[in-house]
Amino acid sequence: MDNLFHEKVINIPIEEEVKRSYLDYSMSVIVGRALPDIRDGLKPVHRRILYAMEGLGCEPNKPYKKSARIVGEVLGKYHPHGESSVYDALVRMAQPFSLRYPLVDGHGNFGSIDGDVPAAMRYTEARLSHLATELLDGLKENATDFVPNFDNTLKEPLVLPAKFPNLLVNGSSGIAVGMATNIPPHNLKEVIDALIYIIDNEILQGREVNERDLLNFIKGPDFPTGGQILGVDGIKEYFKTGKGIVTIRGKYKIEEGKHKRKYFVITEIPYEVNKAELVEEIANLAKEKKIKGVEDIRDESDREGIRIVIKLSEGINEEVFETELIKLTRYEVRYGVILLGILDNQPKVFTVKELLSEFLAFRSSVLKRVTEFKLEKAKKNLEILLGLKKAILNIDTIIPMIKESTNNEEAKIKLMDFLAINENQAKAILDMKLSSLTSLEVNKIDNDIKETEKFVEELEEMLSNKEKFYSEIKNDLQRIAQRYGDKRRTSILHYYKEIDSSELIPDENIIVIVTRGGYLKRMKEDTFKVQKRGGKGVIGQTLSQEDYPIEIMRTTLKSSLLFFTNVGKVYSLKAYEIPELERTGKGTPIHRLLKLDAEERISKVISIEKDSKVKNLFFVTKKGFVKKTRMDEFENIMTTGKRAIKLKEDDELETVIPLEEEKEILMVSKDGLAIRFDSTLVKELGRNSSGVKGMKLKDGSHVVDAETLNETDKIVLVTEKGFGKAIEATSIRKTKRGARGVKCIKLTDKTGDLVATKVIRDEENLFLLLKSGNVIKMELKDVRVLSRGARGVILVRFKDHDDLVTAIALG
């Protein structure tokens, strides 16, 4: 008895067993779940869903059936997995934004492009789409092989007898073990035109077709959500090798609203991009100041299509704005193409030509089987008809013969002997109704014989004649293209070249104004006309009483602007990113463009040209501290800014001077004192240092400005109550840093404090910024050169007695 239950031990190295088991598992996943068959373009779950739906009678011309019933049918008969795997696959085949040509006609909530989940399957209904019937047609005519289902109680098709190349038309994606597929959808008409070209040239005439020929028909992927493909290099690559990268970008149009405000309206987005997430992404980036110029964003999409409306700030260039979307959002994506599929139970990467050729080989195999099935059926039918005709011609003899027979078997044998017919024919005669003996029925049998003989002849000719055989395939393809084909949705920019946003900007001269309240705007250089000394000025911008201009500068659209704040931080902005406004426009809140903290305000803006030779930045604080830091420490400034100087307690950054070389520095205080020293007396320090003493100040005084200086220069000085003059640079004695300085202007209650100074080198124009928002532009020759002890002359007459000069600029 013990020998009956002895255990058999098999010694196998563990690495061999793991390898074998893992390979078995891998192939099970690859073939049975994750990758599509290249013949019908379907994975097993999709094939089973469509087959089960046909079995349930879910045809396009019949009422919808509950999705739960369909899922139950699939699970119970063909697919022993979780219900969610089946329902998810069913839902995707019904989504017009997922499949270029949906195979399921869904009724109810099947999800949305915003990522909304579909309703539970007990609420939704479905039936086959018209196009799906073209995949199933032929199953009842021995078109493909059937295999046992999972419990060996039913049969299911190994592959569907597809009449069009579903894999290329609808695409597929999946991740298997150690491999993945990602096949984009293509336009049905284009794919069918390519198939017909292969038939006419390669199959019928023996002329080889290459990928360049196919590109004349199939332009590239055609996504259900439209968009545009940038360039054709990626398309050519996957046509040739089966792998490539395609760049897809959304589409937009510009609409004009009230007061000529621009609206950037996104009408198409890249394939498989979640629309709601894209809208949220843009909104968050705008809030964080990473995308500039967004005043409002709303999603107005409906059944008519996608419509994401973005209200742009004044002066924002829409092409530049689009480049920001491209860099920072999924408005543009890269789609990796891998044409990986299953053929003869083996995974392989195919070229587009190979996929089309394999489909035609499969389609010809299906047509041959269907034709042979019809031919065999037609021959059997013809045989029966000929037997019936013999019986009718001898009806007077065979009726008594049948009556005299004791049973059907005896009658059948007598008929076979008398009429020289086979058993099937004899059986058909015995089953014949008496109504068939009428003259009308006799003529009908004759006609049926003639039609059947003609049909048999046509089928035999089709099988023997190559041109006629492939003409049938072409007829099917042309019918499908005509009935289901449509125009291409995804456009292709064949000669696309990546453009830097700066290339879209003309390099023209502009004026930038910054206000104390944090408003910023740019205007064309010729906005202000020159006025005589004593003019009242023109409105530079509409401001509240609490706000006034603090800086005006001349620069170019393509320059980079560095914004230094009172707390010692620096931010960066391209000049063209500042919205252009009319002369009277208030400006754009700087917090929309830069991510400033609540207590920060702009102290100085400097312009850095593309070919700038600036080596150092010279920092000056209100309390008279100075430092020098290398320019290269201010590259790659993030939107959150960068520390520029470490300030001492209760101190603020007053100004920053760009240095191309070592120069003399002029510092001026609000009480009219000035100091002049060499910048070489200040050592280079890092961004986190506080600097050294540059000017000794009286209590209650502070530095109002600082500039570089040459001995041949003149210096313009302007007081808050509109008095001003020019002095010679040599009139200010050169000292070491840290001195108190010398008197440079006589100040009284009538003049008010000194507010600004500018060093003159060329015959430029002088801009005076007023607290009221007015800007005066005058020629420098109208500013008199006087001694250090003079108070100056009246440069501006105020309309409002509370008005004051806040800043000056040259340009």
Side-chain angles (χ1 to χ4, degrees):
M1 288 293 292
D2 292 340
N3 291 336
L4 294 175
F5 300 103
H6 75 278
E7 294 182 356
K8 184 178 181 181
V9 178
I10 302 174
N11 290 317
I12 299 176
I14 189 168
E15 60 270 18
E16 289 185 15
E17 179 61 22
V18 169
K19 182 179 178 181
R20 183 184 62 80
S21 299
Y22 188 72
L23 284 173
D24 290 345
Y25 163 73
S26 300
M27 289 308 297
S28 173
V29 172
I30 290 166
V31 178
R33 191 186 311 170
L35 301 183
D37 192 298
I38 67 166
R39 294 169 293 181
D40 62 5
L42 299 171
K43 299 177 186 178
V45 64
H46 301 108
R47 187 179 302 116
R48 288 163 177 168
I49 289 170
L50 297 179
Y51 180 63
M53 289 179 74
E54 186 189 46
L56 278 174
C58 303
E59 296 171 8
N61 57 351
K62 292 184 178 178
Y64 295 94
K65 281 189 169 56
K66 282 289 184 184
S67 298
R69 185 177 178 190
I70 297 169
V71 171
E73 183 83 358
V74 175
L75 291 176
K77 292 184 176 180
Y78 310 112
H79 198 72
H81 298 281
E83 63 179 32
S84 62
S85 65
V86 177
Y87 187 50
D88 290 348
L90 173 70
V91 164
R92 190 174 188 277
M93 287 194 289
Q95 292 174 334
F97 52 87
S98 294
L99 260 64
R100 181 64 176 81
Y101 301 92
L103 301 176
V104 171
D105 178 10
H107 183 249
N109 175 14
F110 277 80
S112 73
I113 198 170
D114 290 327
D116 299 321
V117 296
M121 57 185 167
R122 62 182 177 273
Y123 299 118
T124 60
E125 298 175 321
R127 63 186 178 190
L128 294 169
S129 70
H130 286 279
L131 186 61
T133 61
E134 305 291 350
L135 293 175
L136 295 156
D137 189 28
L139 281 176
K140 296 176 182 177
E141 297 172 321
N142 193 38
T144 60
D145 292 332
F146 278 71
V147 294
N149 69 339
F150 64 91
D151 61 0
N152 206 22
T153 57
L154 296 167
K155 298 280 189 180
E156 62 175 306
L158 188 63
V159 65
L160 298 185
K163 288 188 176 180
F164 67 95
N166 181 56
L167 186 60
L168 272 179
V169 167
N170 270 324
S172 184
S173 63
I175 299 173
V177 179
M179 61 185 70
T181 187
N182 206 30
I183 303 173
H186 296 79
N187 186 271
L188 180 63
K189 280 186 175 180
E190 293 180 0
V191 173
I192 287 178
D193 285 345
L195 286 171
I196 292 173
Y197 182 81
I198 293 174
I199 292 172
D200 289 340
N201 290 271
E202 188 164 286
I203 294 176
L204 297 180
Q205 296 185 27
R207 220 171 31 232
E208 186 178 357
V209 173
N210 56 40
E211 69 272 0
R212 290 190 301 276
D213 299 323
L214 297 178
L215 281 166
N216 293 326
F217 300 97
I218 307 174
K219 306 302 181 184
D222 189 22
F223 299 104
T225 54
Q228 52 189 347
I229 293 172
L230 310 182
V232 295
D233 291 344
I235 297 172
K236 290 178 179 178
E237 185 68 22
Y238 84 76
F239 264 61
K240 186 176 181 179
T241 66
K243 294 182 180 181
I245 296 176
V246 175
T247 302
I248 319 164
R249 180 185 295 174
K251 282 186 181 178
Y252 77 93
K253 63 180 179 180
I254 293 295
E255 295 180 0
E256 197 170 279
K258 294 180 180 179
H259 310 298
K260 295 184 178 180
R261 298 306 295 273
K262 286 182 181 178
Y263 290 88
F264 186 97
V265 183
I266 299 174
T267 56
E268 297 177 16
I269 61 176
Y271 183 51
E272 293 181 337
V273 169
N274 185 305
K275 176 168 63 66
E277 289 180 359
L278 176 63
V279 172
E280 185 179 0
E281 192 175 26
I282 296 171
N284 288 337
L285 288 169
K287 186 178 179 181
E288 295 170 2
K289 309 297 184 295
K290 293 180 179 178
I291 291 182
K292 302 171 184 68
V294 177
E295 288 195 4
D296 186 30
I297 180 170
R298 58 184 184 271
D299 187 358
E300 296 181 358
S301 306
D302 54 21
R303 293 182 181 180
E304 300 299 318
I306 290 173
R307 182 177 167 83
I308 302 169
V309 181
I310 303 171
K311 184 180 180 182
L312 298 181
S313 300
E314 288 186 57
I316 293 294
N317 182 296
E318 60 269 18
E319 292 177 314
V320 175
F321 180 75
E322 187 188 31
T323 61
E324 293 298 308
L325 290 183
I326 291 166
K327 290 177 187 175
L328 301 171
T329 74
R330 284 175 58 79
Y331 176 76
E332 178 179 297
V333 299
R334 287 160 65 85
Y335 185 96
V337 178
I338 306 175
L339 306 184
L340 178 67
I342 298 293
L343 179 65
D344 299 328
N345 284 331
Q346 294 296 322
K348 179 188 172 185
V349 176
F350 297 85
T351 65
V352 171
K353 166 72 183 306
E354 287 172 339
L355 285 178
L356 294 173
S357 297
E358 289 294 345
F359 172 77
L360 286 175
F362 168 66
R363 185 68 199 134
S364 61
S365 169
V366 168
L367 182 59
K368 183 180 178 183
R369 288 179 62 150
V370 170
T371 305
E372 288 173 345
F373 177 85
K374 289 179 178 179
L375 179 60
E376 185 180 354
K377 186 177 179 181
K379 284 181 176 179
K380 288 180 179 179
N381 190 36
L382 179 60
E383 184 180 71
I384 298 299
L385 290 172
L386 291 172
L388 293 177
K389 184 176 180 180
K390 282 185 179 183
I392 291 172
L393 292 175
N394 295 279
I395 195 65
D396 293 335
T397 305
I398 67 172
I399 287 178
M401 186 185 299
I402 293 170
K403 287 176 67 178
E404 293 171 1
S405 300
T406 57
N407 53 44
N408 278 349
E409 189 63 29
E410 183 182 340
K412 185 168 66 174
I413 293 170
K414 288 180 180 180
L415 289 173
M416 291 169 63
D417 292 340
F418 180 72
L419 297 175
I421 58 177
N422 61 32
E423 185 176 354
N424 289 334
Q425 289 173 311
K427 189 174 182 300
I429 292 169
L430 291 173
D431 292 338
M432 183 176 61
K433 296 179 181 179
L434 290 175
S435 60
S436 301
L437 301 178
T438 64
S439 60
L440 187 64
E441 286 295 318
V442 172
N443 291 335
K444 184 178 181 302
I445 288 174
D446 284 335
N447 291 334
D448 286 347
I449 289 172
K450 289 178 183 178
E451 289 177 5
T452 306
E453 286 176 339
K454 184 180 179 181
F455 184 53
V456 168
E457 186 179 339
E458 289 174 353
L459 292 174
E460 287 176 338
E461 185 181 359
M462 186 186 298
L463 290 171
S464 60
N465 187 317
K466 190 175 183 180
E467 286 193 11
K468 189 163 186 179
F469 181 81
Y470 279 98
S471 177
E472 184 69 18
I473 294 177
K474 284 169 59 178
N475 290 340
D476 265 337
L477 290 172
Q478 288 167 341
R479 175 185 58 80
I480 291 170
Q482 186 174 2
R483 182 175 181 186
Y484 307 106
D486 57 7
K487 292 181 180 178
R488 166 174 279 278
R489 296 183 188 175
T490 302
S491 58
I492 298 173
L493 303 180
H494 289 266
Y495 303 104
Y496 168 77
K497 180 174 84 76
E498 190 169 341
I499 299 175
D500 190 335
S501 59
S502 63
E503 294 179 27
L504 303 169
I505 306 300
D507 198 13
E508 60 186 28
N509 294 331
I510 59 167
I511 291 171
V512 174
I513 293 181
V514 185
T515 77
R516 185 183 186 281
Y519 284 86
L520 187 66
K521 77 169 181 178
R522 66 176 167 91
M523 297 171 289
K524 295 189 184 317
E525 186 183 34
D526 58 0
T527 301
F528 303 103
K529 294 179 180 179
V530 175
Q531 297 181 35
K532 294 296 181 183
R533 178 168 62 85
K536 295 181 172 65
V538 294
I539 296 176
Q541 58 195 130
T542 302
L543 297 172
S544 64
Q545 290 185 349
E546 296 77 21
D547 197 13
Y548 53 84
I550 59 168
E551 181 148 8
I552 180 170
M553 64 181 300
R554 180 178 173 272
T555 183
T556 63
L557 268 179
K558 287 191 175 182
S559 63
S560 295
L561 302 181
L562 295 181
F563 293 80
F564 294 89
T565 69
N566 60 319
V567 299
K569 291 183 70 176
V570 60
Y571 299 81
S572 178
L573 199 64
K574 294 289 186 183
Y576 60 75
E577 293 177 324
I578 301 172
E580 181 180 344
L581 299 177
E582 298 297 326
R583 178 170 55 82
T584 57
K586 184 176 182 180
T588 301
I590 202 164
H591 284 81
R592 290 188 182 178
L593 304 175
L594 301 174
K595 202 171 182 181
L596 302 180
D597 292 333
E599 72 278 5
E600 279 187 282
R601 64 178 187 274
I602 302 300
S603 294
K604 179 68 177 177
V605 184
I606 63 173
S607 173
I608 305 296
E609 307 295 334
K610 186 176 182 181
D611 54 353
S612 171
K613 297 178 182 178
V614 175
K615 294 180 180 178
N616 291 292
L617 293 180
F618 194 92
F619 292 83
V620 180
T621 74
K622 279 189 176 296
K623 288 192 172 184
F625 285 88
V626 296
K627 80 162 184 172
K628 191 167 57 180
T629 303
R630 288 184 59 81
M631 183 66 207
D632 54 21
E633 291 201 39
F634 298 94
E635 296 176 354
N636 304 318
I637 299 173
M638 305 295 287
T639 56
T640 52
K642 181 181 281 190
R643 173 64 59 194
I645 183 172
K646 184 179 180 182
L647 295 169
K648 295 185 181 295
E649 188 177 357
D650 296 329
D651 200 2
E652 291 186 0
L653 180 64
E654 175 58 36
T655 191
V656 181
I657 305 168
L659 295 177
E660 293 184 3
E661 58 186 359
E662 297 294 350
K663 302 278 287 184
E664 288 184 5
I665 302 295
L666 171 72
M667 292 175 65
V668 181
S669 64
K670 80 165 187 172
D671 50 1
L673 296 177
I675 183 174
R676 173 179 156 215
F677 60 89
D678 287 326
S679 63
T680 53
L681 298 176
V682 180
K683 293 181 180 180
E684 284 187 2
L685 298 170
R687 290 187 297 107
N688 290 317
S689 66
S690 301
V692 293
K693 197 71 173 179
M695 183 178 186
K696 189 176 181 181
L697 300 170
K698 294 179 180 179
D699 291 341
S701 183
H702 63 81
V703 174
V704 294
D705 214 340
E707 289 260 9
T708 58
L709 194 67
N710 295 318
E711 287 197 352
T712 57
D713 292 337
K714 292 182 176 63
I715 304 164
V716 172
L717 303 161
V718 180
T719 71
E720 62 183 345
K721 293 186 179 180
F723 283 77
K725 68 174 183 177
I727 62 173
E728 300 288 349
T730 52
S731 66
I732 299 175
R733 183 168 52 87
K734 190 174 179 182
T735 65
K736 293 183 177 181
R737 67 171 178 84
R740 191 181 297 274
V742 296
K743 179 75 71 174
C744 61
I745 187 171
K746 181 180 179 181
L747 299 177
T748 65
D749 292 340
K750 191 173 183 179
T751 63
D753 291 335
L754 185 67
V755 291
T757 180
K758 285 293 176 187
V759 174
I760 308 168
R761 293 192 177 90
D762 301 308
E763 290 299 319
E764 299 176 286
N765 294 313
L766 178 67
F767 292 93
L768 276 70
L769 284 72
L770 310 186
K771 187 176 181 181
S772 61
N774 284 7
V775 176
I776 292 177
K777 180 180 179 182
M778 63 174 61
E779 293 182 352
L780 281 172
K781 66 182 181 180
D782 290 333
V783 183
R784 293 173 60 184
V785 179
L786 300 171
S787 66
R788 285 194 297 112
R791 72 176 183 180
V793 295
I794 296 175
L795 300 181
V796 58
R797 298 186 186 277
F798 303 114
K799 288 181 180 180
D800 185 347
H801 68 277
D802 289 331
D803 207 357
L804 295 171
V805 176
T806 61
I808 63 173
L810 300 176

